[in-house]
Amino acid sequence: MQTPQLFLLLSVALSFVKLGMTDGGFCSAPSILDRPMYWKVTKPTLSPSHLQDLPGFTRSVYKRDHALITHESHVFSPLPEWTNTLGAYLITPAMGSHFVMYLANMQEKSKSGLPPHDVERFIFVVEGTVTVANASGFGSKLGVDSYAYLPPNYEHSLMSDGTATLIVLERRYASLENHNTEHFVGSTDKQPLLETPGEVFQLRKLLPTSMPYDFNIHIMDFQPGEFLNVKEVHYNQHGLLLLEGQGIYRLGDSWYPVQAGDVIWMAPFVPQWYAALGKTRSRYLIYKDVNRNPL
């Protein structure tokens, strides 16, 4: 082989080696230890940058009894009453839900507004750090995997001195006589693992299970190959954010590949089932209405 041709061949090979070693390379496999927790929620494997050669493509689906909202479909705009914060509404009553679920991307010196009257709020930090303060200015700092429950009509503010991403759930409180909820903050790792008879997944509940609370937030963990034994069909609604991992979600008669960053809405009585795939743990956060008569 002539020297110029050999030089050209080596140059091309070296280019592919460099590509494979970069973050976006065809064979890149960055160590999980090098990444912060829940990093794929905001930077999923299949993101807009990976779909540039597929114009018009999206995995998002909206049907009468369920929706899958994926990262490439998010539309951000300034959040009403918030300062220096962009939001993407992912689940709203327009699709049939009785709650709202949205992403809030806070920037430097950003501040939240209050939810509407009689609306309760739950926030979960997926990136950065925020401070939750009451009307007196007393605050708690929340990092990734931490959360706060804010009762209806509770004066509060969420503030960030840098970039932070929250998942926010809000719903109009279904009040009960002589029952009131309380403001509190917590973190997932401080919640005990609960028994799951007949199932293999690990379960944590982030809110109290007592009667004043009309919804709960569950954190569910599946190891690769694990799946739900129960094929659920029930009156409760769900709003789900896949925090880690990937798998297959059955919704009605459809089967969807899902990954970290995907959001799912499930209407009452839609058949639902999940199986974890891949090589790492699947973890999702899921909203569920509880403690109220469906009538």
Side-chain angles (χ1 to χ4, degrees), residues 43-156:
K43 301 174 182 64
T45 304
L46 291 177
S47 62
S49 62
H50 293 92
L51 303 174
Q52 290 176 354
D53 294 331
L54 294 172
F57 174 80
T58 180
R59 293 184 299 115
S60 291
V61 174
Y62 168 65
K63 295 188 177 183
R64 178 187 61 81
D65 55 6
H66 69 268
L68 168 65
I69 309 299
T70 60
H71 191 269
E72 72 277 358
S73 305
H74 294 177
V75 179
F76 285 89
S77 60
L79 277 177
E81 311 299 329
W82 292 54
T83 301
N84 202 22
T85 304
L86 296 178
Y89 286 97
L90 306 172
I91 300 175
T92 77
M95 64 173 55
S97 70
H98 59 231
F99 64 95
V100 169
M101 182 174 180
Y102 58 93
L103 282 171
N105 286 348
M106 305 183 76
Q107 304 300 319
E108 185 177 358
K109 297 181 180 179
S110 55
K111 185 177 180 180
S112 69
L114 290 172
H117 188 69
D118 290 342
V119 169
E120 55 193 334
R121 170 181 280 172
F122 174 88
I123 68 161
F124 186 91
V125 183
V126 296
E127 182 182 41
T129 303
V130 299
T131 298
V132 183
N134 60 19
S136 301
F138 178 78
S140 300
K141 188 162 286 190
L142 304 180
V144 173
D145 210 34
S146 298
Y147 60 90
Y149 170 78
L150 296 315
N153 308 318
Y154 177 79
E155 292 284 338
H156 68 275

Side-chain angles (χ1 to χ4, degrees), residues 78-229:
L79 277 177
E81 311 299 329
W82 292 54
T83 301
N84 202 22
T85 304
L86 296 178
Y89 286 97
L90 306 172
I91 300 175
T92 77
M95 64 173 55
S97 70
H98 59 231
F99 64 95
V100 169
M101 182 174 180
Y102 58 93
L103 282 171
N105 286 348
M106 305 183 76
Q107 304 300 319
E108 185 177 358
K109 297 181 180 179
S110 55
K111 185 177 180 180
S112 69
L114 290 172
H117 188 69
D118 290 342
V119 169
E120 55 193 334
R121 170 181 280 172
F122 174 88
I123 68 161
F124 186 91
V125 183
V126 296
E127 182 182 41
T129 303
V130 299
T131 298
V132 183
N134 60 19
S136 301
F138 178 78
S140 300
K141 188 162 286 190
L142 304 180
V144 173
D145 210 34
S146 298
Y147 60 90
Y149 170 78
L150 296 315
N153 308 318
Y154 177 79
E155 292 284 338
H156 68 275
S157 62
L158 311 171
M159 296 168 288
S160 178
D161 292 329
T163 300
T165 301
L166 315 176
I167 189 74
V168 185
L169 291 105
E170 296 171 347
R171 62 164 286 172
R172 193 165 299 279
Y173 181 61
S175 61
L176 289 177
E177 188 175 1
N178 299 322
H179 288 282
N180 295 291
T181 60
E182 297 181 357
H183 158 250
F184 64 87
V185 299
S187 61
T188 301
D189 61 353
K190 299 298 184 183
Q191 302 307 312
L193 288 172
L194 304 175
E195 292 187 7
T196 55
E199 297 286 359
V200 295
F201 63 83
Q202 293 186 328
L203 170 67
R204 292 175 172 87
K205 296 184 179 183
L206 302 189
L207 301 187
T209 57
S210 55
M211 282 301 294
Y213 296 87
D214 58 1
F215 74 91
N216 213 311
I217 302 293
H218 296 180
I219 297 291
M220 299 172 64
D221 293 341
F222 297 78
Q223 296 304 317
E226 293 182 344
F227 53 86
L228 286 169
N229 285 319

Side-chain angles (χ1 to χ4, degrees), residues 172-292:
R172 193 165 299 279
Y173 181 61
S175 61
L176 289 177
E177 188 175 1
N178 299 322
H179 288 282
N180 295 291
T181 60
E182 297 181 357
H183 158 250
F184 64 87
V185 299
S187 61
T188 301
D189 61 353
K190 299 298 184 183
Q191 302 307 312
L193 288 172
L194 304 175
E195 292 187 7
T196 55
E199 297 286 359
V200 295
F201 63 83
Q202 293 186 328
L203 170 67
R204 292 175 172 87
K205 296 184 179 183
L206 302 189
L207 301 187
T209 57
S210 55
M211 282 301 294
Y213 296 87
D214 58 1
F215 74 91
N216 213 311
I217 302 293
H218 296 180
I219 297 291
M220 299 172 64
D221 293 341
F222 297 78
Q223 296 304 317
E226 293 182 344
F227 53 86
L228 286 169
N229 285 319
V230 175
K231 282 64 70 178
E232 294 186 341
V233 178
H234 51 56
Y235 79 91
N236 314 83
Q237 290 197 34
H238 285 316
L240 180 152
L241 170 65
L242 194 61
L243 293 166
E244 295 177 334
Q246 61 189 48
I248 297 291
Y249 225 107
R250 178 189 174 179
L251 299 168
D253 293 327
S254 300
W255 304 72
Y256 300 102
V258 293
Q259 66 170 356
D262 289 352
V263 168
I264 297 173
W265 168 66
M266 291 169 255
F269 297 105
V270 61
Q272 54 197 257
W273 178 86
Y274 179 69
L277 303 177
K279 298 181 179 180
T280 60
R281 174 185 73 179
S282 282
R283 165 173 283 189
Y284 58 68
L285 173 154
I286 186 167
Y287 160 95
K288 181 179 183 179
D289 50 305
V290 295
N291 292 333
R292 298 296 185 270

